[in-house]
């Protein structure tokens, strides 16, 4: 069982990762993250939702995304998302099947 200090350090590291993805590197597309790393911002928001559920807190996918992104998904897409190439889309299908559907 992690100590309170370990939990606080883990939370701080998560917040820094979130800031990095949401403020420092908005140029990095979710599809590229998924294709290269097997997870993306949407995965992180889903994990947030799953953690809430484990604590008995009801949270919709849209609510968890807004909490993680700091804005609605529509706002994120309008401000930062670019069109994906056919190659990116094909790689995403494979990465999604390997990392999300089997999960």
């Amino acid at each position: 069982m992690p100590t309170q200090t370990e939990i606080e350090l883990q939370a701080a590291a998560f917040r820094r990762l979130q800031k990095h993805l949401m403020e420092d590197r908005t140029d990095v597309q979710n599809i590229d993250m998924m294709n290269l790393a097997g997870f993306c911002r949407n995965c992180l928001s889903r994990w947030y939702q799953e953690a809430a559920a484990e604590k008995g807190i009801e949270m919709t996918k849209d609510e968890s995304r807004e909490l993680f992104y700091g804005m609605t998904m529509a706002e994120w897409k309008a401000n930062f998302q670019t069109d994906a190439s056919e190659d990116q889309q094909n790689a995403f299908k494979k990465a999604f099947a390997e990392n999300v559907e089997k999960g």
Side-chain angles (χ1 to χ4, degrees):
M1 171 83 61
T3 67
Q4 185 61 35
T5 299
E6 288 172 316
I7 292 168
E8 291 169 7
L9 294 173
Q10 291 167 348
F14 175 82
R15 286 190 300 273
R16 184 60 188 97
L17 172 62
Q18 183 181 24
K19 179 187 181 302
H20 184 74
L21 294 173
M22 303 314 301
E23 296 176 22
D24 303 337
R25 293 305 309 266
T26 57
D27 60 312
V28 176
Q29 297 298 300
N30 278 337
I31 196 164
D32 292 325
M33 289 177 61
M34 179 60 87
N35 292 347
L36 293 171
F39 78 98
C40 67
R41 292 171 184 89
N42 292 334
C43 296
L44 288 163
S45 69
R46 187 182 78 248
W47 298 339
Y48 199 107
Q49 180 186 18
E50 290 169 359
E54 288 176 12
K55 295 286 187 187
I57 301 167
E58 289 189 34
M59 183 181 296
T60 67
K61 178 169 67 172
D62 288 339
E63 289 171 332
S64 67
R65 284 184 175 178
E66 191 165 345
L67 283 169
F68 185 82
Y69 280 78
M71 64 187 77
T72 66
M73 201 62 214
E75 290 171 307
W76 173 265
K77 287 180 179 182
N79 290 317
F80 303 110
Q81 188 166 307
T82 61
D83 291 334
S85 70
E86 186 175 338
D87 286 343
Q88 286 173 308
Q89 291 175 21
N90 290 334
F92 175 80
K93 289 175 188 172
K94 181 180 181 212
F96 190 87
E98 291 174 353
N99 296 290
V100 178
E101 289 177 344
K102 75 171 189 180

